[in-house]
Short mmCIF file of all heavy atoms in Angstrom, two decimals:
data_model
loop_
_atom_site.label_atom_id
_atom_site.label_comp_id
_atom_site.label_asym_id
_atom_site.label_seq_id
_atom_site.Cartn_x
_atom_site.Cartn_y
_atom_site.Cartn_z
N MET A 1493 88.83 -204.20 -118.95
CA MET A 1493 89.45 -205.15 -118.08
C MET A 1493 90.91 -204.76 -117.89
O MET A 1493 91.59 -204.68 -118.84
CB MET A 1493 89.25 -206.58 -118.68
CG MET A 1493 89.87 -207.66 -117.80
SD MET A 1493 89.54 -209.31 -118.33
CE MET A 1493 88.82 -209.16 -119.96
N TYR A 1494 91.34 -204.57 -116.65
CA TYR A 1494 92.65 -204.04 -116.43
C TYR A 1494 93.47 -205.26 -115.95
O TYR A 1494 94.75 -205.15 -116.28
CB TYR A 1494 92.60 -203.01 -115.32
CG TYR A 1494 93.89 -202.27 -115.30
CD1 TYR A 1494 94.19 -201.39 -116.29
CD2 TYR A 1494 94.89 -202.41 -114.27
CE1 TYR A 1494 95.39 -200.66 -116.32
CE2 TYR A 1494 96.00 -201.68 -114.21
CZ TYR A 1494 96.28 -200.80 -115.21
OH TYR A 1494 97.47 -200.06 -115.24
N TYR A 1495 93.00 -206.23 -115.32
CA TYR A 1495 93.75 -207.50 -114.86
C TYR A 1495 93.15 -208.68 -115.54
O TYR A 1495 92.41 -209.42 -114.92
CB TYR A 1495 93.72 -207.55 -113.34
CG TYR A 1495 94.40 -206.43 -112.69
CD1 TYR A 1495 93.61 -205.51 -112.04
CD2 TYR A 1495 95.78 -206.32 -112.59
CE1 TYR A 1495 94.20 -204.33 -111.42
CE2 TYR A 1495 96.36 -205.26 -111.89
CZ TYR A 1495 95.50 -204.27 -111.32
OH TYR A 1495 96.18 -203.28 -110.62
N PRO A 1496 93.44 -208.92 -116.76
CA PRO A 1496 92.80 -209.99 -117.53
C PRO A 1496 92.99 -211.43 -116.87
O PRO A 1496 92.07 -212.21 -116.94
CB PRO A 1496 93.36 -209.94 -118.89
CG PRO A 1496 94.65 -209.08 -118.83
CD PRO A 1496 94.44 -208.21 -117.57
N ASN A 1497 94.15 -211.63 -116.31
CA ASN A 1497 94.32 -213.01 -115.75
C ASN A 1497 93.49 -213.17 -114.51
O ASN A 1497 92.95 -214.18 -114.21
CB ASN A 1497 95.84 -213.22 -115.41
CG ASN A 1497 96.64 -213.23 -116.68
OD1 ASN A 1497 96.25 -213.54 -117.74
ND2 ASN A 1497 97.94 -212.94 -116.50
N LEU A 1498 93.39 -212.06 -113.68
CA LEU A 1498 92.63 -212.15 -112.51
C LEU A 1498 91.14 -212.22 -112.87
O LEU A 1498 90.36 -213.10 -112.28
CB LEU A 1498 92.79 -210.90 -111.61
CG LEU A 1498 91.97 -210.80 -110.42
CD1 LEU A 1498 92.08 -211.88 -109.51
CD2 LEU A 1498 92.21 -209.41 -109.68
N GLU A 1499 90.72 -211.43 -113.85
CA GLU A 1499 89.30 -211.57 -114.30
C GLU A 1499 89.00 -212.97 -114.78
O GLU A 1499 87.90 -213.46 -114.55
CB GLU A 1499 89.05 -210.50 -115.40
CG GLU A 1499 89.13 -209.10 -114.87
CD GLU A 1499 87.84 -208.69 -113.97
OE1 GLU A 1499 86.92 -209.47 -113.94
OE2 GLU A 1499 87.89 -207.50 -113.50
N ALA A 1500 89.89 -213.58 -115.58
CA ALA A 1500 89.73 -214.88 -116.06
C ALA A 1500 89.51 -215.94 -114.89
O ALA A 1500 88.73 -216.80 -114.95
CB ALA A 1500 90.84 -215.31 -117.01
N GLU A 1501 90.40 -215.81 -113.91
CA GLU A 1501 90.31 -216.64 -112.77
C GLU A 1501 89.00 -216.50 -111.94
O GLU A 1501 88.37 -217.49 -111.60
CB GLU A 1501 91.57 -216.46 -111.83
CG GLU A 1501 91.77 -217.52 -110.83
CD GLU A 1501 92.05 -218.85 -111.46
OE1 GLU A 1501 92.89 -218.96 -112.39
OE2 GLU A 1501 91.44 -219.95 -111.06
N LEU A 1502 88.60 -215.28 -111.84
CA LEU A 1502 87.30 -215.04 -111.22
C LEU A 1502 86.20 -215.70 -111.95
O LEU A 1502 85.27 -216.36 -111.38
CB LEU A 1502 87.01 -213.54 -111.02
CG LEU A 1502 87.89 -212.81 -109.96
CD1 LEU A 1502 87.73 -211.34 -110.09
CD2 LEU A 1502 87.58 -213.25 -108.53
N LYS A 1503 86.20 -215.57 -113.24
CA LYS A 1503 85.22 -216.15 -114.11
C LYS A 1503 85.25 -217.73 -114.01
O LYS A 1503 84.20 -218.35 -113.90
CB LYS A 1503 85.41 -215.66 -115.62
CG LYS A 1503 84.24 -216.17 -116.49
CD LYS A 1503 84.46 -215.47 -117.82
CE LYS A 1503 83.18 -215.83 -118.68
NZ LYS A 1503 83.16 -215.08 -119.95
N ARG A 1504 86.49 -218.28 -114.06
CA ARG A 1504 86.61 -219.74 -113.98
C ARG A 1504 86.03 -220.30 -112.74
O ARG A 1504 85.42 -221.31 -112.72
CB ARG A 1504 88.10 -220.09 -114.01
CG ARG A 1504 88.59 -220.43 -115.38
CD ARG A 1504 89.98 -221.15 -115.33
NE ARG A 1504 91.01 -220.29 -114.94
CZ ARG A 1504 91.70 -219.35 -115.64
NH1 ARG A 1504 91.26 -219.24 -116.97
NH2 ARG A 1504 92.60 -218.61 -115.23
N LYS A 1505 86.15 -219.54 -111.63
CA LYS A 1505 85.68 -219.98 -110.37
C LYS A 1505 84.29 -219.47 -110.03
O LYS A 1505 83.75 -219.73 -108.96
CB LYS A 1505 86.59 -219.54 -109.22
CG LYS A 1505 88.02 -220.21 -109.34
CD LYS A 1505 88.87 -219.77 -108.16
CE LYS A 1505 90.10 -220.62 -108.14
NZ LYS A 1505 90.00 -221.93 -107.61
N ASN A 1506 83.66 -218.80 -111.01
CA ASN A 1506 82.29 -218.29 -110.90
C ASN A 1506 82.16 -217.34 -109.67
O ASN A 1506 81.16 -217.49 -108.91
CB ASN A 1506 81.23 -219.41 -110.89
CG ASN A 1506 79.91 -219.03 -111.24
OD1 ASN A 1506 79.76 -217.94 -111.95
ND2 ASN A 1506 78.90 -219.59 -110.66
N ILE A 1507 83.17 -216.50 -109.54
CA ILE A 1507 83.10 -215.56 -108.39
C ILE A 1507 82.83 -214.15 -108.95
O ILE A 1507 83.54 -213.69 -109.79
CB ILE A 1507 84.44 -215.53 -107.70
CG1 ILE A 1507 84.73 -216.84 -107.07
CG2 ILE A 1507 84.47 -214.47 -106.57
CD1 ILE A 1507 86.19 -217.05 -106.44
N ARG A 1508 81.75 -213.58 -108.50
CA ARG A 1508 81.45 -212.16 -108.94
C ARG A 1508 82.18 -211.16 -108.15
O ARG A 1508 82.68 -211.48 -107.00
CB ARG A 1508 79.94 -211.93 -108.71
CG ARG A 1508 79.13 -212.93 -109.55
CD ARG A 1508 77.57 -212.84 -109.14
NE ARG A 1508 77.44 -213.13 -107.72
CZ ARG A 1508 76.40 -212.65 -107.05
NH1 ARG A 1508 75.39 -212.06 -107.59
NH2 ARG A 1508 76.36 -212.95 -105.82
N ARG A 1509 82.23 -209.98 -108.57
CA ARG A 1509 82.99 -208.90 -107.87
C ARG A 1509 82.35 -208.71 -106.47
O ARG A 1509 83.04 -208.41 -105.55
CB ARG A 1509 82.96 -207.59 -108.68
CG ARG A 1509 83.99 -207.67 -109.87
CD ARG A 1509 83.93 -206.34 -110.58
NE ARG A 1509 84.93 -206.43 -111.68
CZ ARG A 1509 85.28 -205.35 -112.42
NH1 ARG A 1509 84.80 -204.21 -112.15
NH2 ARG A 1509 86.18 -205.53 -113.32
N ILE A 1510 81.01 -208.78 -106.41
CA ILE A 1510 80.39 -208.62 -105.17
C ILE A 1510 80.75 -209.62 -104.12
O ILE A 1510 80.91 -209.38 -102.96
CB ILE A 1510 78.84 -208.46 -105.29
CG1 ILE A 1510 78.19 -208.11 -104.04
CG2 ILE A 1510 78.25 -209.80 -105.76
CD1 ILE A 1510 78.43 -206.64 -103.54
N ASP A 1511 80.97 -210.87 -104.60
CA ASP A 1511 81.38 -211.99 -103.72
C ASP A 1511 82.80 -211.74 -103.23
O ASP A 1511 83.11 -211.93 -102.01
CB ASP A 1511 81.41 -213.27 -104.50
CG ASP A 1511 80.04 -213.64 -105.05
OD1 ASP A 1511 79.03 -213.35 -104.39
OD2 ASP A 1511 79.99 -214.24 -106.15
N LEU A 1512 83.68 -211.26 -104.18
CA LEU A 1512 85.03 -210.91 -103.74
C LEU A 1512 85.05 -209.79 -102.75
O LEU A 1512 85.76 -209.89 -101.73
CB LEU A 1512 85.86 -210.54 -104.98
CG LEU A 1512 87.29 -210.19 -104.77
CD1 LEU A 1512 88.12 -211.33 -104.15
CD2 LEU A 1512 87.93 -209.74 -106.10
N ALA A 1513 84.25 -208.72 -102.96
CA ALA A 1513 84.16 -207.59 -102.05
C ALA A 1513 83.65 -208.05 -100.70
O ALA A 1513 84.31 -207.69 -99.63
CB ALA A 1513 83.16 -206.59 -102.61
N LYS A 1514 82.68 -208.88 -100.61
CA LYS A 1514 82.14 -209.33 -99.26
C LYS A 1514 83.23 -210.17 -98.61
O LYS A 1514 83.42 -210.00 -97.41
CB LYS A 1514 80.88 -210.19 -99.52
CG LYS A 1514 79.70 -209.33 -99.89
CD LYS A 1514 78.45 -210.21 -100.04
CE LYS A 1514 77.24 -209.36 -100.39
NZ LYS A 1514 76.05 -210.12 -100.60
N ALA A 1515 83.88 -211.08 -99.34
CA ALA A 1515 84.90 -211.88 -98.69
C ALA A 1515 86.11 -211.12 -98.14
O ALA A 1515 86.66 -211.48 -97.05
CB ALA A 1515 85.49 -212.92 -99.71
N LEU A 1516 86.39 -209.95 -98.78
CA LEU A 1516 87.41 -209.19 -98.34
C LEU A 1516 87.01 -207.98 -97.38
O LEU A 1516 87.92 -207.24 -96.89
CB LEU A 1516 88.20 -208.58 -99.50
CG LEU A 1516 88.80 -209.58 -100.44
CD1 LEU A 1516 89.38 -208.92 -101.70
CD2 LEU A 1516 89.90 -210.33 -99.76
N GLY A 1517 85.72 -207.94 -97.16
CA GLY A 1517 85.22 -206.79 -96.30
C GLY A 1517 85.37 -205.43 -96.89
O GLY A 1517 85.51 -204.48 -96.15
N LEU A 1518 85.21 -205.38 -98.20
CA LEU A 1518 85.32 -204.08 -98.92
C LEU A 1518 84.02 -203.82 -99.60
O LEU A 1518 83.23 -204.72 -99.95
CB LEU A 1518 86.47 -204.17 -99.94
CG LEU A 1518 87.94 -204.39 -99.36
CD1 LEU A 1518 88.85 -204.62 -100.45
CD2 LEU A 1518 88.31 -203.15 -98.47
N ALA A 1519 83.79 -202.53 -99.96
CA ALA A 1519 82.67 -202.12 -100.80
C ALA A 1519 82.89 -202.58 -102.24
O ALA A 1519 83.98 -202.70 -102.69
CB ALA A 1519 82.50 -200.63 -100.73
N LEU A 1520 81.75 -202.86 -102.83
CA LEU A 1520 81.80 -203.28 -104.28
C LEU A 1520 82.50 -202.18 -105.08
O LEU A 1520 83.25 -202.43 -105.96
CB LEU A 1520 80.35 -203.64 -104.77
CG LEU A 1520 80.25 -203.89 -106.29
CD1 LEU A 1520 81.18 -205.06 -106.65
CD2 LEU A 1520 78.85 -204.01 -106.68
N SER A 1521 82.25 -200.97 -104.81
CA SER A 1521 82.75 -199.78 -105.57
C SER A 1521 84.24 -199.78 -105.42
O SER A 1521 85.05 -199.49 -106.35
CB SER A 1521 82.22 -198.51 -105.17
OG SER A 1521 82.46 -198.24 -103.71
N THR A 1522 84.75 -200.13 -104.19
CA THR A 1522 86.27 -200.24 -103.94
C THR A 1522 86.88 -201.34 -104.86
O THR A 1522 87.93 -201.06 -105.48
CB THR A 1522 86.51 -200.47 -102.47
OG1 THR A 1522 86.01 -199.46 -101.69
CG2 THR A 1522 88.09 -200.55 -102.23
N ILE A 1523 86.23 -202.52 -104.81
CA ILE A 1523 86.83 -203.65 -105.62
C ILE A 1523 86.78 -203.18 -107.14
O ILE A 1523 87.72 -203.53 -107.88
CB ILE A 1523 85.98 -204.88 -105.36
CG1 ILE A 1523 86.36 -205.54 -104.05
CG2 ILE A 1523 86.24 -205.90 -106.51
CD1 ILE A 1523 87.81 -205.96 -103.87
N SER A 1524 85.64 -202.72 -107.64
CA SER A 1524 85.54 -202.23 -108.95
C SER A 1524 86.64 -201.26 -109.36
O SER A 1524 87.21 -201.35 -110.44
CB SER A 1524 84.15 -201.71 -109.28
OG SER A 1524 83.19 -202.66 -109.12
N ASP A 1525 86.83 -200.30 -108.53
CA ASP A 1525 87.87 -199.27 -108.74
C ASP A 1525 89.25 -199.98 -108.87
O ASP A 1525 90.05 -199.52 -109.76
CB ASP A 1525 87.92 -198.23 -107.64
CG ASP A 1525 86.74 -197.27 -107.75
OD1 ASP A 1525 86.06 -197.20 -108.93
OD2 ASP A 1525 86.57 -196.36 -106.84
N LYS A 1526 89.52 -200.89 -108.06
CA LYS A 1526 90.83 -201.53 -108.07
C LYS A 1526 91.02 -202.44 -109.32
O LYS A 1526 92.01 -202.51 -109.92
CB LYS A 1526 91.05 -202.33 -106.73
CG LYS A 1526 91.24 -201.37 -105.56
CD LYS A 1526 91.51 -202.03 -104.32
CE LYS A 1526 91.67 -201.11 -103.16
NZ LYS A 1526 92.69 -200.00 -103.37
N LEU A 1527 89.92 -203.12 -109.65
CA LEU A 1527 90.02 -204.10 -110.77
C LEU A 1527 89.96 -203.48 -112.04
O LEU A 1527 90.41 -203.96 -113.08
CB LEU A 1527 88.84 -205.18 -110.68
CG LEU A 1527 88.95 -206.10 -109.45
CD1 LEU A 1527 87.82 -207.19 -109.57
CD2 LEU A 1527 90.28 -206.72 -109.26
N THR A 1528 89.47 -202.18 -112.07
CA THR A 1528 89.56 -201.45 -113.40
C THR A 1528 90.70 -200.46 -113.47
O THR A 1528 90.87 -199.80 -114.42
CB THR A 1528 88.26 -200.60 -113.54
OG1 THR A 1528 88.04 -199.70 -112.43
CG2 THR A 1528 87.08 -201.47 -113.64
N GLY A 1529 91.59 -200.54 -112.40
CA GLY A 1529 92.79 -199.72 -112.42
C GLY A 1529 92.61 -198.26 -112.04
O GLY A 1529 93.55 -197.46 -112.11
N LYS A 1530 91.38 -197.93 -111.52
CA LYS A 1530 91.20 -196.57 -111.05
C LYS A 1530 91.89 -196.25 -109.73
O LYS A 1530 92.15 -195.12 -109.39
CB LYS A 1530 89.65 -196.30 -110.86
CG LYS A 1530 88.96 -196.28 -112.19
CD LYS A 1530 87.46 -195.98 -112.01
CE LYS A 1530 86.81 -196.07 -113.32
NZ LYS A 1530 85.33 -195.96 -113.24
N SER A 1531 92.21 -197.37 -108.98
CA SER A 1531 92.89 -197.23 -107.77
C SER A 1531 93.89 -198.36 -107.64
O SER A 1531 93.60 -199.46 -108.21
CB SER A 1531 92.05 -197.01 -106.50
OG SER A 1531 91.34 -198.22 -106.25
N ASP A 1532 94.95 -198.20 -107.02
CA ASP A 1532 96.00 -199.30 -106.87
C ASP A 1532 95.52 -200.41 -105.91
O ASP A 1532 94.83 -200.18 -104.95
CB ASP A 1532 97.27 -198.70 -106.34
CG ASP A 1532 97.94 -197.70 -107.30
OD1 ASP A 1532 97.64 -197.93 -108.56
OD2 ASP A 1532 98.76 -196.87 -106.90
N ILE A 1533 96.13 -201.57 -106.20
CA ILE A 1533 95.91 -202.76 -105.41
C ILE A 1533 97.24 -202.90 -104.63
O ILE A 1533 98.29 -203.12 -105.20
CB ILE A 1533 95.67 -204.01 -106.19
CG1 ILE A 1533 94.37 -203.86 -106.93
CG2 ILE A 1533 95.58 -205.20 -105.34
CD1 ILE A 1533 93.93 -205.11 -107.80
N SER A 1534 97.10 -202.83 -103.30
CA SER A 1534 98.33 -202.97 -102.43
C SER A 1534 98.77 -204.45 -102.49
O SER A 1534 98.04 -205.37 -102.87
CB SER A 1534 98.06 -202.62 -101.00
OG SER A 1534 97.11 -203.58 -100.36
N LEU A 1535 100.06 -204.72 -102.10
CA LEU A 1535 100.61 -206.05 -102.09
C LEU A 1535 99.84 -206.87 -101.11
O LEU A 1535 99.45 -208.09 -101.42
CB LEU A 1535 102.05 -206.06 -101.77
CG LEU A 1535 102.82 -207.32 -101.67
CD1 LEU A 1535 102.62 -208.12 -103.00
CD2 LEU A 1535 104.23 -207.20 -101.25
N ALA A 1536 99.47 -206.33 -99.94
CA ALA A 1536 98.69 -207.05 -98.97
C ALA A 1536 97.31 -207.47 -99.47
O ALA A 1536 96.89 -208.62 -99.25
CB ALA A 1536 98.54 -206.22 -97.67
N LEU A 1537 96.67 -206.60 -100.23
CA LEU A 1537 95.36 -206.91 -100.83
C LEU A 1537 95.50 -207.99 -101.88
O LEU A 1537 94.72 -208.86 -102.00
CB LEU A 1537 94.66 -205.65 -101.35
CG LEU A 1537 93.24 -205.91 -101.84
CD1 LEU A 1537 92.35 -206.56 -100.93
CD2 LEU A 1537 92.62 -204.61 -102.45
N ALA A 1538 96.50 -207.80 -102.69
CA ALA A 1538 96.75 -208.74 -103.77
C ALA A 1538 96.96 -210.18 -103.18
O ALA A 1538 96.41 -211.18 -103.69
CB ALA A 1538 98.00 -208.36 -104.60
N LYS A 1539 97.73 -210.26 -102.07
CA LYS A 1539 97.82 -211.58 -101.37
C LYS A 1539 96.56 -212.10 -100.89
O LYS A 1539 96.31 -213.29 -100.95
CB LYS A 1539 98.88 -211.42 -100.31
CG LYS A 1539 100.39 -211.30 -100.78
CD LYS A 1539 101.32 -211.05 -99.68
CE LYS A 1539 102.74 -210.96 -100.21
NZ LYS A 1539 103.71 -210.79 -99.09
N LYS A 1540 95.68 -211.23 -100.30
CA LYS A 1540 94.39 -211.66 -99.75
C LYS A 1540 93.61 -212.25 -100.90
O LYS A 1540 92.85 -213.18 -100.67
CB LYS A 1540 93.77 -210.57 -99.06
CG LYS A 1540 94.29 -210.15 -97.75
CD LYS A 1540 93.48 -209.04 -97.06
CE LYS A 1540 94.13 -208.68 -95.76
NZ LYS A 1540 93.44 -207.49 -95.18
N ILE A 1541 93.62 -211.55 -102.06
CA ILE A 1541 92.80 -212.04 -103.22
C ILE A 1541 93.25 -213.38 -103.63
O ILE A 1541 92.50 -214.22 -103.89
CB ILE A 1541 92.82 -210.91 -104.31
CG1 ILE A 1541 92.02 -209.63 -103.90
CG2 ILE A 1541 92.24 -211.55 -105.63
CD1 ILE A 1541 92.24 -208.48 -104.80
N LYS A 1542 94.57 -213.50 -103.72
CA LYS A 1542 95.17 -214.76 -104.21
C LYS A 1542 94.81 -215.84 -103.29
O LYS A 1542 94.40 -216.93 -103.68
CB LYS A 1542 96.70 -214.61 -104.33
CG LYS A 1542 97.39 -215.86 -104.77
CD LYS A 1542 98.91 -215.57 -104.83
CE LYS A 1542 99.57 -216.80 -105.47
NZ LYS A 1542 100.22 -217.69 -104.59
N ASP A 1543 94.92 -215.64 -101.95
CA ASP A 1543 94.56 -216.61 -100.98
C ASP A 1543 93.11 -217.03 -101.06
O ASP A 1543 92.67 -218.16 -100.95
CB ASP A 1543 94.88 -216.12 -99.51
CG ASP A 1543 96.36 -216.06 -99.30
OD1 ASP A 1543 97.12 -216.68 -100.05
OD2 ASP A 1543 96.69 -215.42 -98.26
N PHE A 1544 92.14 -215.98 -101.23
CA PHE A 1544 90.75 -216.24 -101.37
C PHE A 1544 90.46 -217.08 -102.60
O PHE A 1544 89.61 -218.03 -102.48
CB PHE A 1544 90.07 -214.90 -101.56
CG PHE A 1544 88.60 -215.00 -101.81
CD1 PHE A 1544 87.69 -215.53 -100.89
CD2 PHE A 1544 88.08 -214.80 -103.08
CE1 PHE A 1544 86.33 -215.69 -101.11
CE2 PHE A 1544 86.74 -214.96 -103.37
CZ PHE A 1544 85.79 -215.39 -102.37
N LEU A 1545 91.21 -216.84 -103.69
CA LEU A 1545 91.00 -217.66 -104.86
C LEU A 1545 91.57 -219.08 -104.72
O LEU A 1545 91.14 -220.01 -105.47
CB LEU A 1545 91.66 -216.99 -106.06
CG LEU A 1545 90.95 -215.63 -106.50
CD1 LEU A 1545 91.80 -214.98 -107.65
CD2 LEU A 1545 89.51 -215.91 -106.90
N GLY A 1546 92.57 -219.23 -103.86
CA GLY A 1546 93.17 -220.56 -103.66
C GLY A 1546 93.91 -221.05 -104.82
O GLY A 1546 93.87 -222.19 -105.20
N VAL A 1547 94.63 -220.08 -105.50
CA VAL A 1547 95.38 -220.46 -106.71
C VAL A 1547 96.96 -220.39 -106.43
O VAL A 1547 97.38 -219.75 -105.53
CB VAL A 1547 95.08 -219.52 -107.93
CG1 VAL A 1547 93.67 -219.68 -108.31
CG2 VAL A 1547 95.42 -218.11 -107.55
N ASP A 1548 97.66 -221.20 -107.26
CA ASP A 1548 99.13 -221.21 -107.08
C ASP A 1548 99.79 -220.17 -108.04
O ASP A 1548 101.02 -220.10 -108.11
CB ASP A 1548 99.73 -222.61 -107.39
CG ASP A 1548 99.28 -223.63 -106.32
OD1 ASP A 1548 99.09 -223.21 -105.10
OD2 ASP A 1548 99.08 -224.83 -106.65
N THR A 1549 98.99 -219.48 -108.92
CA THR A 1549 99.59 -218.58 -109.81
C THR A 1549 100.25 -217.50 -109.13
O THR A 1549 99.82 -216.88 -108.09
CB THR A 1549 98.32 -217.90 -110.58
OG1 THR A 1549 97.45 -218.92 -111.11
CG2 THR A 1549 98.87 -217.06 -111.73
N PRO A 1550 101.55 -217.19 -109.56
CA PRO A 1550 102.38 -216.11 -108.98
C PRO A 1550 101.63 -214.77 -109.12
O PRO A 1550 100.90 -214.53 -110.02
CB PRO A 1550 103.62 -216.10 -109.81
CG PRO A 1550 103.72 -217.41 -110.48
CD PRO A 1550 102.33 -217.88 -110.66
N LEU A 1551 101.82 -213.91 -108.03
CA LEU A 1551 101.13 -212.66 -108.07
C LEU A 1551 101.43 -211.80 -109.34
O LEU A 1551 100.50 -211.17 -109.87
CB LEU A 1551 101.68 -211.80 -106.85
CG LEU A 1551 101.02 -212.23 -105.49
CD1 LEU A 1551 101.77 -211.45 -104.40
CD2 LEU A 1551 99.60 -212.06 -105.40
N GLU A 1552 102.66 -211.86 -109.82
CA GLU A 1552 102.97 -211.04 -111.00
C GLU A 1552 102.24 -211.58 -112.27
O GLU A 1552 102.09 -210.76 -113.14
CB GLU A 1552 104.49 -211.04 -111.27
CG GLU A 1552 105.17 -212.33 -111.49
CD GLU A 1552 105.67 -213.07 -110.25
OE1 GLU A 1552 105.24 -212.63 -109.16
OE2 GLU A 1552 106.42 -214.01 -110.33
N VAL A 1553 101.88 -212.80 -112.23
CA VAL A 1553 101.02 -213.37 -113.38
C VAL A 1553 99.60 -212.93 -113.15
O VAL A 1553 98.88 -212.49 -113.99
CB VAL A 1553 101.26 -214.83 -113.59
CG1 VAL A 1553 100.32 -215.42 -114.57
CG2 VAL A 1553 102.69 -215.07 -113.87
N LEU A 1554 99.07 -213.28 -111.93
CA LEU A 1554 97.64 -213.06 -111.60
C LEU A 1554 97.28 -211.61 -111.74
O LEU A 1554 96.21 -211.22 -112.29
CB LEU A 1554 97.40 -213.54 -110.18
CG LEU A 1554 95.97 -213.62 -109.73
CD1 LEU A 1554 95.09 -214.54 -110.68
CD2 LEU A 1554 95.85 -213.99 -108.34
N PHE A 1555 98.23 -210.69 -111.45
CA PHE A 1555 97.92 -209.26 -111.48
C PHE A 1555 98.66 -208.55 -112.64
O PHE A 1555 98.85 -207.30 -112.59
CB PHE A 1555 98.29 -208.61 -110.10
CG PHE A 1555 97.29 -209.04 -109.06
CD1 PHE A 1555 97.56 -210.15 -108.29
CD2 PHE A 1555 96.09 -208.37 -108.82
CE1 PHE A 1555 96.65 -210.51 -107.32
CE2 PHE A 1555 95.21 -208.74 -107.87
CZ PHE A 1555 95.52 -209.89 -107.08
N ALA A 1556 99.04 -209.28 -113.63
CA ALA A 1556 99.56 -208.63 -114.82
C ALA A 1556 98.49 -207.71 -115.47
O ALA A 1556 97.40 -208.12 -115.53
CB ALA A 1556 100.10 -209.67 -115.80
N THR A 1557 98.87 -206.59 -115.94
CA THR A 1557 97.93 -205.66 -116.50
C THR A 1557 97.81 -205.89 -117.97
O THR A 1557 98.55 -206.70 -118.55
CB THR A 1557 98.35 -204.17 -116.23
OG1 THR A 1557 99.68 -203.95 -116.76
CG2 THR A 1557 98.32 -203.82 -114.78
N GLU A 1558 96.82 -205.28 -118.56
CA GLU A 1558 96.60 -205.54 -120.00
C GLU A 1558 97.80 -205.32 -120.86
O GLU A 1558 98.10 -206.04 -121.73
CB GLU A 1558 95.52 -204.58 -120.50
CG GLU A 1558 94.13 -205.13 -120.06
CD GLU A 1558 93.03 -204.25 -120.71
OE1 GLU A 1558 92.69 -204.48 -121.84
OE2 GLU A 1558 92.47 -203.40 -119.94
N GLY A 1559 98.63 -204.29 -120.57
CA GLY A 1559 99.73 -203.94 -121.36
C GLY A 1559 100.97 -204.80 -120.97
O GLY A 1559 101.96 -204.77 -121.61
N ASN A 1560 100.86 -205.55 -119.87
CA ASN A 1560 101.99 -206.36 -119.46
C ASN A 1560 101.62 -207.80 -119.21
O ASN A 1560 101.90 -208.32 -118.10
CB ASN A 1560 102.60 -205.69 -118.07
CG ASN A 1560 103.16 -204.44 -118.30
OD1 ASN A 1560 103.85 -204.23 -119.28
ND2 ASN A 1560 102.81 -203.46 -117.47
N LYS A 1561 100.88 -208.38 -120.07
CA LYS A 1561 100.43 -209.73 -119.90
C LYS A 1561 101.54 -210.66 -119.73
O LYS A 1561 102.54 -210.61 -120.51
CB LYS A 1561 99.54 -210.17 -121.07
CG LYS A 1561 98.20 -209.62 -121.08
CD LYS A 1561 97.37 -210.14 -122.17
CE LYS A 1561 96.00 -209.37 -122.25
NZ LYS A 1561 95.24 -209.82 -123.35
N VAL A 1562 101.47 -211.62 -118.79
CA VAL A 1562 102.55 -212.59 -118.64
C VAL A 1562 101.85 -213.98 -118.75
O VAL A 1562 100.84 -214.25 -118.03
CB VAL A 1562 103.14 -212.54 -117.18
CG1 VAL A 1562 104.16 -213.47 -116.98
CG2 VAL A 1562 103.77 -211.09 -116.95
N ALA A 1563 102.38 -214.83 -119.59
CA ALA A 1563 101.71 -216.24 -119.84
C ALA A 1563 102.14 -217.15 -118.72
O ALA A 1563 102.99 -216.94 -118.07
CB ALA A 1563 102.11 -216.72 -121.17
#
């Protein structure tokens, strides 16, 4: 897990990666690569994900990486 706060939010809302991919018009493999840190998440995509989730969590918290967890 590369983005533990994002993964936790997806789990809380019972949103699977495939659901996120479909909502964003991306392939499941693309979402998987981004969520595992194999490819970067752009600021624009991060905002789309945050909007899709409907959370007030700041981007820097939602997308904190494993080594940079922010409470």
Side-chain angles (χ1 to χ4, degrees):
M1493 181 175 7
Y1494 198 72
Y1495 298 101
N1497 295 337
L1498 175 60
E1499 292 285 355
E1501 195 61 46
L1502 290 169
K1503 188 171 185 172
R1504 267 193 290 280
K1505 293 184 174 279
N1506 200 28
I1507 298 172
R1508 300 171 303 160
R1509 286 183 178 189
I1510 188 70
D1511 301 325
L1512 182 60
K1514 286 180 181 179
L1516 299 172
L1518 298 171
L1520 175 58
S1521 60
T1522 301
I1523 286 295
S1524 292
D1525 285 350
K1526 292 185 179 302
L1527 296 185
T1528 58
K1530 291 180 183 174
S1531 65
D1532 292 334
I1533 296 178
S1534 68
L1535 180 57
L1537 181 58
K1539 287 179 180 179
K1540 286 180 184 178
I1541 292 171
K1542 182 180 185 259
D1543 289 345
F1544 173 73
L1545 292 175
V1547 296
D1548 293 330
T1549 308
L1551 286 174
E1552 60 271 12
V1553 173
L1554 190 60
F1555 291 92
T1557 58
E1558 281 185 82
N1560 296 314
K1561 289 183 184 176
V1562 178

